Amino acid sequence: MTPPSSSPAVSDTVWNDTPTSSQLPAATTLLPAAKVYPRPGSGKTLGVTVTTIAILFLAWWGITAQAWIPPLFLPSPSAVWNAAVQAWNGNVQGGLPLWQHLAWSLLRVFGAFVLAAVTAVPLGLLMGTSRIVRGILDPLLEFYRPLPPLAYLPLIVIWFGIDETAKVLLIYLACFAPIAVATRAGVTGVLSEQLHAALSMGASRRQLLRHVILPAALPDILTGLRIAIGFGWTTLVAAEMVAATAGVGQLVLNASNFLRTDIVIMGIVLIGIVAYLFDLVMRRLEHRLVPWKAHR
């Protein structure tokens, strides 16, 4: 018995990318138009950021102008600016200009950061894909990760001396753990459906790692890199305690010995600005490399 002529054959059915109103369920067509609300935190924050900085600066200026806090504990913004000018011209202790101190600190931090990235990411991938590697490295990583750098600084000095190797190694260890942990978490968070789909299409282990696991773990890897560079700058002062003659951390330590609070605050602000600029670069890189991720 042949079907009625009014019923279309299955082979004649055409599926459009955008469904028409006739293809939608009746319940959805009867609903009123839904109001689209923005995702929390998705708006621009530049105005709020600038306002916050301005309020903090005005509060700082007002407190110091009224002399509510002695200059030894909180110097005025103009005093900190004058200290920055003196440091830039090399008129502070040590005689080195500020840009040379900054160059040495950047070399140590970013050199250790690059070394940590090129070693921690592969190890994190191995820890996430191999139970044997995870069983070997995970206890070691979790043992030293909570330790503060000052705890193993004396041991590094005993083993490697007081040259640049000890400074870079200390920052390297501070950056390594966050990158490795974030990479491992990104790999273990890959959906099994993605793996099964790739395997069903005949993907090899290398193709699975390159085209499925690594892209899926990339957001977590980039987050780990952002956290790691913050740990690197945090460890900078401790690293430059080891017989350093140049560096922003060394400049801040020497200034604290002479009660130059203006130079101390200038160094803190400088480290914070450089770290914040790098974080902005990492955010832009994240937008380019992982456009499918929902950014705040």
Side-chain angles (χ1 to χ4, degrees), residues 255-266:
S256 64
N257 293 331
F258 292 96
L259 298 181
R260 290 293 306 269
T261 315
D262 50 354
I263 297 179
V264 172
I265 294 180
M266 180 271 298

